[in-house]
Structure formats: structure tokens, C-alpha cells
Amino acid sequence: MSQQLDYKALGLRVGLEIHQQLATRHKLFCHCPPTLTTRQPTTTIYRRLRLSESELGEIDPAALLEFKKGRIIEYVCEPGTACLVEQDEEPPHPINPEAVHYALVIAHALHARPVDEIHVMRKIVIDGSNTTGFQRTCIVALGGYIRVGDKTIPIQTICLEEEAARKIGERPGVVTYALDRLGIPLIEIATAPVIESPEECLRVALAIGRLLRLTGFVKRGLGTIRQDINISIRGGALTEVKGVQELALLPKVVEFEVHRQLHLIRLAEELQKRGANPEDVRSKLTDVTDCFQDTKCRVLHRAIKRGERVYAICLPKFAGLLGLEPYPGVRLGREIAAYVRVESGIPGILHSDEIRKYGVSDSEVVAVQRALHCSDQDAFIVFTAPDPETAQRAADAIVKRAKQAIQGVPEETRAARPDGTTEYMRPRPGAARMYPETDIPPYPVTDEAWQRATSYSIPTWDEAVEQLIKEFDLNKQLAEQLLDSPYMDVFKAAVRIGAPPRFTASFLTERLVALKKEGVAADQLSNEQLIEILKLLAEGRIPKDGCLALVRYLAEHPSTSVEEAVVKLGLQMLSEEEVRRIVSETITQNRDVIERRGERAVSAFMGMLMRKLRGRVDPRLLRQLVEEEVRRALTQ
Amino acid sequence: MEKDRLPGYRGSAREILSKAGASVGDRVAIVLTDGGRVEGTLMPRYELADDRHIVVKLDNGYNIGVRVARIQSIEVIARRTLPTPVRAPPPEIRAKERVVILGTGGTIAARVDYVTGGVTPVFTPEDLYALVPELSDIARIETHLLFNIFSENMTPQHWSRIAEATADAFRQGADGVVIAHGTDTMGYTAAALAFALRKLPGPVVLVGAQRSSDRPSSDAATNLIAAVYTAARAPFAEVVVAMHQTRSDTAIAIHRGTRVRKLHSSRRDAFKSVNAPPLAVFEKGELTLLTQDYRARNSDPPEVDARFEPHVALIKFHPGMPPDILEYLHDRGYRGIILEGTGLGHVNVSWVDTLRRLTKDMLVGMCTQTIWGRVNMRVYSTGRLLLQAGVIGLEDMLAETALVKAMWVLAHTDDLEEAKQLMLTNFAGEISERLIE
């Protein structure tokens, strides 16, 4: 389906921005521990963020969009992981010197030059993910490079900034954020846009990610590292894609984006060829509810029953172009639907290219066309809305996107989806709205501080692999997988309490990955849960294959504790006494086997008992006991 | 006087910039001694920072500091041309009530210059409507900037000026007056106005912000909306303070001016009514009275009497404190002392003799450093001795309010007995007969 594209010829340019959480003792601007909480929230605070107008009367388009949504932001927190600073009820504490030190170490490792004085800035963000309405961020170093293969990738900036609050819910009019994550120190490494292929993007991200992991002071685990990319092709537009969490997804995302931009370029060409004109796309709403009074289309029927009205808009000369899908997920109709959803909250639209698939009849289509005064050369979009204001917002969004479609590719900020597609999130923000954080004085980078940073020794990849092989008697493949995995900390903790290293390494890497491929949500388990499972193994209370069974169960029953799961699965290992009792009972009940087979009865009983007791007894112990009991039975 | 073109810069940093002829806002190119190069916009210097760095805003918006010692040369590439701001047209004012906003300091609204990072307070009605559009549905606003100082720098003379200006505003036809004020001493000013404005036709609402108004999370706008609404529509004619009731933006408490105290250094809900509930709460666009016991709006002309005797002190007693501080104040001509005693209103019994002497020509009143609760010096012997020594218990009055009241009372009488009586007369809700919490 996807033909191999010539990325160089297309002028593909990708810049990578890696955000990595640091494992400092406390957060960047306060003394809370930098961890996510498992406890229930004890405090709920409701806020609204107001738009700030600049001196020039300019209003940032992304910020304006958020403000128009007029949403209430609900912040929840508990005292172990958020304080008054996170609640925006206390000024920030001085910048965490440990975080600055780590940032300087990384700067040195990337051959960058530190700034002489660090100035913390306020970067306006009003979607609610920062309680203050801005993110505190600062540049620590400029310039630098990393060699990937035989290419030198320039690093533009290395910044230190605070993580955002964690979005945990959304309902009409309210968005909910947890404050535990807010303020965790993040290091941001931005490359120059010199990456030229999806595969190169993966290699560069892996190289930087590995370097970060080798320092030993970054957090591990899901969500502790995020990749954003800036991507454009010749004739396209600079698009920011945020939040690629899994490395493996990067090439897919790049490929998707290239196909998407290519498609939009071709659509624009086609539209212009057809004589489409942005002036002809009008946001005047037409109420077409009457056309659908007896519709068989379930979506529309249900909406009408709810009391909503059905609206339609004509897109002149767009016929056939909304549903065209040259690559999975690449479709103008999908783009328009996203704009409608973001700007009006209306969850979906129907368009003329596909509307019949949803049960709309030919006569209904004709009725709509007549109401809109549009022909078969034109496309139309139909949607339902609970009130005229929302409908108008949706119409404005459709018209905005349609006009852009005639001209080419709009500049956007998009979100990466777990399937490798991207989705419109918001317009690209204007020039970063940043001004100094005057509550924090400038922080000079002294010669001593830089000296300390440069003398921090980071092992090379090969050294780190060697170290693991030697210390834990692992093979090279396992060692490398472990170094790349999010579970390095879990491994170290488990081995410290006696878990067998080779099994543990394989379990945390290959086995969990295999489970995920099966569709088991193994990454939902916390590090604590995994360590607990390995602890049970170390104590001999569960057998090795019990570990995977537990992961499977806990992924499906997330509110169960590990202990409860052990009981539920009947995994508890039997004591030697219990085994002996079961063996002798079985033998007593099956004397005929002894009579017939004599000594060879042992294998028959092993078969019977392994089937019954699999996973709850060490096979060697079982064999020993069966042999003893059979011998005893024979001598009786 | 010409505005400083290099604000905040001194010493070697200023020297090197002056030599290059650079001004803040200019685009500069800096060549470093190791061959590196930095280009960007010259920024002002933070006043407490050293004189060894200059600050440049890079094209990506970030500021960085460059060590002067590493600079080989600075070249000005382009002068800053200030573009003219495009303002939104003024909104249609639908409301009829007239509210005057007096500015004394404390920023209730500001704009940010993202180029220099400067925050400019704004105070014209057009600017206020632009930044807080909800106001156009609430009142017709007029603004007067009286002065612009941190509230910790206010003195009783400032209180007098504010009182006079408030009375003037009512005489000119205002339905209500809002006073923008720094939060640090807002409680003191509120009490002062409650005593100085002897007759009031409508509400006087002090308002401030705990979070700077340049930031999107600022409490300034919601507090201001509540304050203007209260000034325009409240049925009472009293001096009140409008600030957040909780850490959420949902409700603004309207506190009686003689009852309110700042009880947290930074939280939005720092202001609480002590020994009394707030007078009202503003929530979801409506004002709900929490009591029917208030002075109602009326059409009488305002009366001001804003004389304050500055030689009154507020002294917080602590264990082991000797009483000679009181002698010192007496000898310096102080006419009154408000004591923050412990518990029900106690100080070290060794103070009794000194107090017996001083109360012959000084007013000495007792409040409690517990902040909450009523003073009662009849329960324990220490209290009884202090009463005998001529100290008067000030019931459940806040110590800060008592200080301001004493300043007002002593500016109006030399007769100690009359002064004591006036201190114990309830003028503006500062004393209550019943405490229920």
C-alpha cells in the first residue's frame, strides 16, 4: 500500500526534540519529590486562565483558541507529590542546582557550550497544563552535536524546564489535571532539522536516548521520555508533532506525515486546477434538519431525537476530494473533522463523499444539495449541533480548513497517536510568548560548576554493556535490551533482593515485549508491581512461569494487588509436606499403576502429577518425592 | 529627565554597552573572545544581579546572560523601532451604574512586552475593559491614579488622601468606589477608611491580587469583577475588601474592612474575616449577603473625617520581654499603645507597675496575639491586675484594626476617658457582642 518514497527528492526535513525527565531528589522549582502518585487526591481546585494580551495588542492564535473554549480547569493533588508551588499559591523556590548540574553534564556530553548565565523564562501556555498559565523554561547550553553513524547531527539547544501537569480527564466544560507531574525537571534536547528519513529519525532518537540513559540520572519508565518532531517537505509546511512516546513509532509517524503533506499538496493543485477559490467558501450555515425527518441514518436520527438541528455547508468544487485516502489515515475529511472537534466540541461530521455509507438516501442528498444550491461538482459537509453558537463555531472551523486546503498545507501542531498517525491539535503558536521569570534571579554558570560537569564520567555504550554482562552474567543481547528498556531500575532492584538475573532480564525485556505484542497491556503495571512479582520469585513463593501469568492477570484486573492475584491464580507454591501428601494420596489411589509398572510407575505418576501441580511445585522436588513414595509403596 | 537606555546595567557591563552605543531593545551582534558569536535583542538587567553579565534575547525567544569578560566586541545591528500597538475598539457599555476606581498601587491589570519582558501596569478604563471585558456588563468605569506605591510604604497620610478621594468620587455621582491596593497592608487601609468615612452613601471596595496580573492565572481579574459588581450593585454602604474565598476561582468573599486580615503570605485566599463571617460572597455573577445586619445604601452626602494620630504603636508581647519599650515610646511622645497580649489578653506581671504609670496619660488597649477570640481580662489574676492598672480590654477587635482605630480616636480627643469610651464603641463592625465560632 505504501510505496517507498524518495525522501531526499521530497526535501524531507525533520528536527527532533527529546524531552527526558531527570531523576533528581526533588522537583525543579520546589522541594516535592519528582514522582507520580498512586494515592487518591485530597485537594481539588477550580481555575480559569485568562488570555494575556501583549503590548502590541496581539493575541496568540493557539492561546485564543483555548480561551474561547472557556473551560474550567480542575486541578487535583495530594500532599505527597504537590505543594503550594504547584497549586500556584506560592512563588517558585530557587532553581534546583542538582538539575542544573545534570543539564550541564549532558551539555558537555553533547559537545555544547553552556551559557554564562541561566535565565529562567515564562512561556505562556493556557491549556491548563501549567497552573500559572506559563511553563518555566531556560536555556542551559547552545550548539553541540552528536555523531550518528557517519553523520554529525547538530544540536541547537539544550534546555531545562518543568514538566506539565498530567491530563486525567475531560467532560463538557471541564478539563482535569493531576499536579503530581507538574514541576518534574525535564531536559529538552533539540536537533537541527537535518534528519532526512524516517529511519534516520529513529537512529538519532535512539542515539540521544541511549546517551541519556548512560548518564544514570534520568528517570526510566513509560512517559519519562517523549519525542516531538518538526517536519516539513518541499512545498509543504512546518508541522510540529508532539508526544511520540515509543521510539518504534517515530519512523511510522514521519512516514505518515510525509504522505499527509504530499496528499494535501496534490489536493491543493487539483483544487486550483478546478478553479476553486477561497472566497467561494462561505461559513453561512444552512439548517437542513427538514431534509432528514425520516432518515435511516442512525447518527442523524438520534441527534434529531435529542433535539439537535442538522446543518450543512457547501464546499464548492471539492467533490470527491474529502474521502480520498491514498494512505491509511490520510484524508481531508478526517482533517476537517479534527478542526471541528477541537474548535467546537462537535465529535464528528459527515461529508458527501461518504454520506451514503451511513444510511443517507440519494433523495436526502439531493435535498441537501438543493438547500445549499450546490452541484455534483461540489462537496458538502453535514453535522449536528445542540445550539446555533456551537454550530457557527463548527462552520467557521470547516471554512477555515477548506480555505487552507485550496492553498496548500497549513502550519499546525499535531498529536501523535499510538497507531503512528497524527491528529490536529491546535494552530501553531505565534512566536513563543516568553518573558523573564522575575521571581527567579539569573543563575551564573561558574567555572567550578562547569568543571564539575565535565569531570562526570559517562560510560560508553560498550562499557555499559560489558559492565552488565560481567556483573550479572548476562549475554550481550540481554544486556543491550536491558540498557534500552524502561525497566533497568526494576531489574537492579529485583536482583538486589535475590531475583535470578538472567531470568529477570529476559522477563523484563523479551517476555514483556512478547506479551505486549499479544495485546496484553503489560506496560500498565507499575515498577512497584513488577518488583513485587520478582520478589515473590526470589523468595521461592511462585514459580518462574507464574511471573508472566501474574502480569497477564494484573494487566486485565488493574485494581487487584499482587498478593490477591497470586491467590486468584492459585500460584502459591506448595510446601514439601503438602506435595508429599498429594503424592502419597495419588499413589494410594492408583495402586494398580504400581502393580503393573513397578519402578517405571515413576514416570506415569510424574505425568499425572505435573499436569495437576504444574507451576506449583519444583519438578525436581516432585520427582524426588515421587521416587521416594513409589519405592516405599513397592516395599510395602 | 531622559529615560535610562540601559536599565539595570552598572559597572563593566554598562561600560561595554555604552561604548557600543547600544540601548535596550536594539538588535546586537556579540563576538566572543573564543570566536563564538551571539546575536539577539539587548534586554534590561535584573536589578539584584551582578554587573558582570549582559542579557540578550535570542531569536527563539529565550534570554541568556553573556559574561562581559568573554566579549570581544559588540555591534548594534538595528535600532528598536517601537511598533504602534493595535488596540481592540472599546466595547459597548451596557451597564448604567457608575463606578470610580482609585489606584494606589498593586497591579490589577498589566500588559507584557514580550520583546523586553517588561510588564506595564494599565489603568485607563479602555485598558481595563480590554483586559477584563466582563466589566462592560457591570458598570461605567472611571479611573483615577492617586499614587503608585507598595502598600508596605503607606502611611496614615495616604489613608487620609484615599478617604478624601473616595468622598469626592461619591460627591461627583459615583454609585460605588473601588480602590486598587497592594495586599500587604490592605487590611489596615480598609479599617482606616471605615473609621474616616463617617457617612457613606454606597460601597467602598478595596481589591488586590495575590498573583501578579501579567500571568494568565492571576486572581486580579476575578477579584476586580467582584469588586466592581459590589461597588455598582451591593445594597450596603460600607468599606469592604474583595478577595478570593478559596484557592479556586469560583467565589470572591466580600469582607468587612474592620474585620479582615491577611493570614497567608502567598495564597489567593489569604484574606479572611476574623471573629465574624464575611459580609457577602460573589459567585456565578451574583452577590449573596451573609447577613441582614448592614448599613444600607442611602442618598446622604458622604462625610469624611480622616485625621489620624501617627504616634500610636502596636506591640506584640513575648516571654521575657522587658517593659522598657513602653517607657521609650512614652518618652518619645507616643499617645497610645495597642498590646498584642497572650491568650485572653495577658503580659508578664512585671509589666503592671510600668503600665499603671503610663496609663495616666497614655491610652493602652489590649488585644490578643491569638488573632481569634475575645479578650477577657477578668478571668485570670494577671488580667485583673492589668485592668486595675488602667489597661482596657478591646473585646474581639483585631489588633491591627485596634491600632488604626486608636490613631483615629486619639486624633479627635485629648480626654483619655473619652478615648477609652470611643475605643469600646462599635463604629463599623469592629466589635461584636456575640461570637459563635
Side-chain angles (χ1 to χ4, degrees):
Chain A
M1 176 106 193
S2 50
Q3 73 278 53
Q4 197 46 271
L5 296 172
D6 184 347
Y7 293 106
K8 235 185 164 84
L10 290 171
L12 173 65
R13 289 270 174 280
V14 182
L16 193 56
E17 244 177 55
I18 306 234
H19 297 83
Q20 164 73 66
Q21 289 178 2
L22 297 177
T24 47
R25 271 186 304 277
H26 53 80
K27 290 184 175 180
L28 192 56
F29 294 107
C30 74
H31 288 76
C32 291
T35 48
L36 300 188
T37 186
T38 46
R39 281 181 274 209
Q40 287 305 308
T42 52
T43 304
T44 306
I45 297 174
Y46 298 97
R47 297 267 171 82
R48 298 193 94 121
L49 292 179
R50 294 185 73 93
L51 200 59
S52 40
E53 191 187 277
S54 82
E55 268 291 299
L56 300 183
E58 300 164 320
I59 290 180
D60 177 34
L64 182 60
L65 178 61
E66 277 305 324
F67 184 68
K68 288 209 285 210
K69 287 184 191 167
R71 284 192 298 192
I72 292 179
I73 305 159
E74 183 180 62
Y75 292 112
V76 299
C77 62
E78 57 87 26
T81 48
C83 67
L84 291 184
V85 176
E86 277 74 46
Q87 293 171 23
D88 186 37
E89 291 291 15
E90 189 181 305
H93 300 188
I95 193 170
N96 183 344
E98 191 189 2
V100 175
H101 170 59
Y102 290 156
L104 291 172
V105 168
I106 291 168
H108 178 246
L110 290 170
H111 316 100
R113 163 197 265 146
V115 299
D116 294 329
E117 205 181 44
I118 294 172
H119 286 246
V120 180
M121 307 293 288
R122 294 178 180 173
K123 184 170 174 181
I124 297 286
V125 176
I126 68 162
D127 62 359
S129 57
N130 291 85
T131 45
T132 49
F134 52 75
Q135 178 195 37
R136 295 184 180 98
T137 171
C138 57
I139 286 192
V140 172
L142 295 164
Y145 61 87
I146 183 167
R147 287 202 63 77
V148 181
D150 54 2
K151 196 160 164 185
T152 302
I153 307 283
I155 305 283
Q156 287 181 327
T157 54
I158 296 171
C159 295
L160 194 52
E161 56 192 30
E162 46 180 8
E163 252 284 30
R166 204 163 43 105
K167 187 166 172 181
I168 59 173
E170 205 165 348
R171 51 188 198 273
V174 181
V175 58
T176 308
Y177 286 93
L179 295 183
D180 52 357
R181 201 180 70 178
L182 177 62
I184 292 180
L186 275 183
I187 191 151
E188 184 207 81
I189 297 169
T191 72
V194 301
I195 295 169
E196 296 176 308
S197 76
E199 184 267 336
E200 186 180 14
C201 191
L202 176 63
R203 273 187 292 129
V204 174
L206 186 60
I208 296 176
R210 279 186 172 174
L211 175 64
L212 290 170
R213 284 189 283 281
L214 286 169
T215 60
F217 53 67
V218 300
K219 278 181 160 289
R220 305 271 211 150
L222 207 62
T224 58
I225 183 167
R226 283 197 304 284
Q227 281 95 200
D228 294 347
I229 57 173
N230 295 305
I231 176 170
S232 68
I233 60 174
R234 197 174 306 116
L238 187 59
T239 302
E240 205 185 333
V241 179
K242 299 192 90 64
V244 186
Q245 286 213 359
E246 272 187 54
L247 215 57
L249 226 45
L250 270 174
K252 269 176 114 173
V253 169
V254 173
E255 195 179 313
F256 177 86
E257 263 308 295
V258 173
H259 278 101
R260 191 186 69 87
Q261 293 200 21
L262 266 180
H263 179 55
L264 291 175
I265 292 170
R266 288 179 188 144
L267 276 183
E269 282 168 8
E270 174 62 25
L271 282 164
Q272 284 167 23
K273 205 157 56 167
R274 293 185 186 184
N277 193 333
E279 311 272 291
D280 296 333
V281 188
R282 308 246 174 74
S283 65
K284 182 166 126 43
L285 274 176
T286 306
D287 187 321
V288 295
T289 318
D290 292 337
C291 303
F292 294 99
Q293 285 309 338
D294 300 309
T295 187
K296 296 233 173 3
C297 169
R298 265 194 311 216
V299 163
L300 293 178
H301 177 72
R302 262 186 258 135
I304 295 174
K305 266 186 78 180
R306 273 202 303 269
E308 295 188 3
R309 307 289 301 173
V310 185
Y311 298 92
I313 284 209
C314 174
L315 297 183
K317 311 232 170 44
F318 272 72
L321 300 180
L322 296 176
L324 201 55
E325 190 167 356
Y327 185 86
V330 171
R331 211 167 64 242
L332 182 58
R334 180 175 176 266
E335 296 302 304
I336 296 178
Y339 271 68
V340 167
R341 187 173 47 249
V342 168
E343 304 203 5
S344 72
I346 291 174
I349 58 171
L350 294 171
H351 59 74
S352 43
D353 289 355
E354 65 176 16
I355 199 168
R356 289 176 180 79
K357 282 195 238 151
Y358 291 88
V360 168
S361 69
D362 286 336
S363 56
E364 284 166 340
V365 168
V366 167
V368 170
Q369 283 174 320
R370 214 178 301 139
L372 292 174
H373 304 295
C374 73
S375 72
D376 286 332
Q377 318 275 352
D378 309 321
F380 62 79
I381 293 192
V382 164
F383 61 91
T384 68
D387 59 77
E389 288 79 39
T390 310
Q392 191 59 56
R393 274 211 294 278
D396 292 341
I398 293 169
V399 163
K400 177 163 76 176
R401 188 61 188 86
K403 284 190 204 269
Q404 285 166 340
I406 299 173
Q407 290 158 332
V409 187
E411 282 198 0
E412 294 169 339
T413 298
R414 299 177 70 87
R417 312 258 83 205
D419 61 358
T421 60
T422 67
E423 197 169 71
Y424 171 71
M425 228 170 108
R426 56 176 187 253
R428 279 215 68 196
R433 324 265 288 162
M434 282 205 274
Y435 62 112
E437 168 54 274
T438 45
D439 292 346
I440 309 224
Y443 187 103
V445 178
T446 60
D447 293 333
E448 294 73 43
W450 183 240
Q451 175 60 23
R452 243 181 311 124
T454 57
S455 41
Y456 185 98
S457 134
I458 304 175
T460 64
W461 179 257
D462 292 328
E463 282 168 3
V465 171
E466 266 312 303
Q467 168 69 12
L468 277 182
I469 290 175
K470 241 195 300 204
E471 191 176 343
F472 300 108
D473 190 26
L474 303 174
N475 63 45
K476 184 157 189 266
Q477 188 187 24
L478 269 183
E480 294 199 318
Q481 281 172 346
L482 200 55
L483 273 177
D484 273 337
S485 94
Y487 299 119
M488 184 62 172
D489 294 338
V490 174
F491 172 79
K492 290 214 170 115
V495 164
R496 231 198 322 267
I497 51 174
R502 229 181 273 170
F503 172 80
T504 305
S506 160
F507 168 67
L508 290 172
T509 57
E510 299 161 337
R511 307 288 180 89
L512 285 186
V513 167
L515 268 188
K516 274 167 66 176
K517 282 218 175 78
E518 275 181 47
V520 177
D523 45 17
Q524 291 305 311
L525 269 73
S526 67
N527 285 3
E528 287 71 33
Q529 283 177 309
L530 290 169
I531 293 174
E532 207 182 326
I533 292 173
L534 291 161
K535 181 161 183 266
L536 291 173
L537 174 71
E539 290 170 356
R541 291 179 48 208
I542 59 170
K544 282 182 179 171
D545 41 5
C547 294
L548 276 184
L550 280 171
V551 171
R552 222 185 269 274
Y553 186 85
L554 288 166
E556 276 162 45
H557 305 87
S559 48
T560 324
S561 72
V562 174
E563 288 287 351
E564 286 169 357
V566 169
V567 170
K568 266 268 158 42
L569 293 174
L571 280 176
Q572 197 72 7
M573 293 285 261
L574 295 164
S575 68
E576 193 175 313
E577 271 174 41
E578 288 176 296
V579 178
R580 194 184 285 280
R581 184 181 51 79
I582 293 173
V583 168
S584 85
E585 256 175 37
T586 309
I587 289 178
T588 311
Q589 286 163 5
N590 294 280
R591 285 214 67 95
D592 53 317
V593 176
I594 302 255
E595 273 148 35
R596 262 187 294 127
R597 310 275 293 264
E599 286 258 354
R600 281 200 283 271
V602 169
S603 38
F605 281 118
M606 276 303 289
M608 245 187 265
L609 286 164
M610 274 308 285
R611 261 192 307 274
K612 187 166 167 191
L613 299 179
R614 154 149 279 130
R616 307 184 64 198
V617 65
D618 178 353
R620 278 174 306 191
L621 171 68
L622 183 64
R623 187 173 200 93
Q624 181 199 321
L625 294 176
V626 167
E627 282 172 1
E628 280 176 27
E629 293 299 313
V630 165
R631 227 173 285 135
R632 182 160 346 144
L634 282 174
T635 55
Q636 278 173 351
Chain B
M1 194 105 118
E2 206 187 86
K3 194 171 147 186
D4 183 6
R5 294 177 322 155
L6 293 170
Y9 285 104
R10 16 180 254 288
S12 54
R14 193 180 185 95
E15 236 182 86
I16 196 171
L17 288 170
S18 297
K19 253 209 299 229
S23 312
V24 162
D26 290 344
R27 187 171 181 82
V28 295
I30 302 171
V31 177
L32 303 171
T33 49
D34 61 8
R37 194 188 145 86
V38 175
E39 196 173 313
T41 311
L42 184 65
M43 290 287 108
R45 184 83 178 133
Y46 181 72
E47 66 225 9
L48 294 177
D50 64 38
D51 60 351
R52 294 190 301 278
H53 294 83
I54 68 173
V55 187
V56 176
K57 182 186 275 295
L58 305 175
D59 288 336
N60 57 22
Y62 282 91
N63 288 4
I64 62 168
V66 181
R67 216 185 284 176
V68 171
R70 301 208 304 136
I71 297 177
Q72 172 130 308
S73 67
I74 303 180
E75 192 195 327
V76 175
I77 300 182
R79 296 267 167 224
R80 184 188 188 195
T81 43
L82 282 161
T84 34
V86 173
R87 298 264 181 265
E92 194 194 309
I93 317 289
R94 284 169 281 262
K96 293 186 322 273
E97 290 87 348
R98 288 181 55 196
V99 168
V100 169
I101 306 183
L102 302 174
T104 67
T107 316
I108 51 165
R111 280 205 181 83
V112 183
D113 179 347
Y114 291 108
V115 176
T116 61
V119 174
T120 314
V122 295
F123 199 60
T124 64
E126 298 74 48
D127 284 328
L128 289 178
Y129 285 127
L131 290 173
V132 190
E134 293 90 328
L135 295 176
S136 59
D137 283 325
I138 301 177
R140 292 180 181 282
I141 294 172
E142 249 174 69
T143 60
H144 300 299
L145 189 64
L146 294 180
F147 37 79
N148 191 1
I149 59 176
F150 287 124
S151 67
E152 59 268 23
N153 293 330
M154 282 206 197
T155 66
Q157 283 151 326
H158 293 97
W159 301 339
S160 308
R161 279 182 61 191
I162 298 171
E164 297 288 353
T166 304
D168 272 338
F170 279 116
R171 284 185 204 113
Q172 314 259 337
D175 293 302
V177 176
V178 170
I179 300 168
H181 197 290
T183 55
D184 277 12
T185 65
M186 195 153 68
Y188 290 86
T189 305
L193 293 177
F195 299 126
L197 292 163
R198 307 270 57 240
K199 275 218 178 91
L200 265 184
V204 177
V205 188
L206 285 88
V207 71
Q210 284 283 77
R211 297 269 86 72
S212 57
S213 53
D214 56 276
R215 68 177 76 186
S217 64
S218 174
D219 51 331
T222 36
N223 290 345
L224 183 62
I225 290 167
V228 173
Y229 185 97
T230 303
R233 316 253 182 109
F236 48 75
E238 296 201 27
V239 178
V240 295
V241 166
M243 292 290 285
H244 268 49
Q245 187 178 49
T246 66
R247 279 175 279 181
S248 296
D249 287 337
T250 40
I252 309 298
I254 311 296
H255 305 277
R256 266 209 172 93
T258 49
R259 279 295 184 190
V260 69
R261 192 181 198 274
K262 185 170 182 178
L263 281 162
H264 198 281
S265 66
S266 60
R267 269 168 54 164
R268 279 164 179 69
D269 60 344
F271 283 81
K272 304 274 182 217
S273 284
V274 175
N275 291 331
L279 181 45
V281 176
F282 180 78
E283 192 168 1
K284 295 201 178 81
E286 279 185 15
L287 191 66
T288 307
L289 274 298
L290 298 178
T291 173
Q292 288 308 308
D293 183 15
Y294 55 80
R295 220 170 285 159
R297 250 189 214 272
N298 56 80
S299 40
D300 294 341
E303 259 180 47
V304 197
D305 182 348
R307 285 171 291 152
F308 293 93
E309 166 56 76
H311 296 95
V312 182
L314 176 60
I315 302 287
K316 179 168 175 155
F317 171 79
H318 64 76
M321 188 179 188
D324 47 8
I325 183 88
L326 306 176
E327 311 259 24
Y328 173 80
L329 288 168
H330 176 262
D331 294 344
R332 300 284 295 237
Y334 272 66
R335 297 184 52 214
I337 294 176
I338 303 295
L339 291 171
E340 267 190 68
T342 57
L344 288 165
H346 305 139
V347 295
N348 190 311
V349 69
S350 68
W351 282 34
V352 173
D353 285 335
T354 309
L355 284 167
R356 191 172 295 117
R357 260 182 298 112
L358 297 185
T359 53
K360 294 210 174 33
D361 54 5
M362 273 181 97
L363 171 73
V364 180
M366 177 70 80
C367 294
T368 173
Q369 61 187 239
T370 62
I371 303 178
W372 271 272
R374 190 187 298 279
V375 161
N376 185 332
M377 293 149 81
R378 299 179 296 279
V379 177
Y380 292 104
S381 56
T382 305
R384 289 192 288 269
L385 285 169
L386 290 168
L387 282 173
Q388 270 175 16
V391 177
I392 54 164
L394 294 177
E395 299 297 317
D396 63 329
M397 212 187 306
L398 268 172
E400 293 81 8
T401 300
L403 169 72
V404 173
K405 186 172 186 185
M407 286 178 163
W408 190 87
V409 163
L410 289 171
H412 289 78
T413 179
D414 286 330
D415 183 329
L416 268 181
E417 284 315 308
E418 189 186 356
K420 286 185 196 177
Q421 236 178 35
L422 289 173
M423 285 302 289
L424 288 169
T425 308
N426 188 16
F427 286 128
E430 71 273 19
I431 301 176
S432 52
E433 287 181 338
R434 303 170 62 239
L435 287 184
I436 51 180
E437 259 180 4

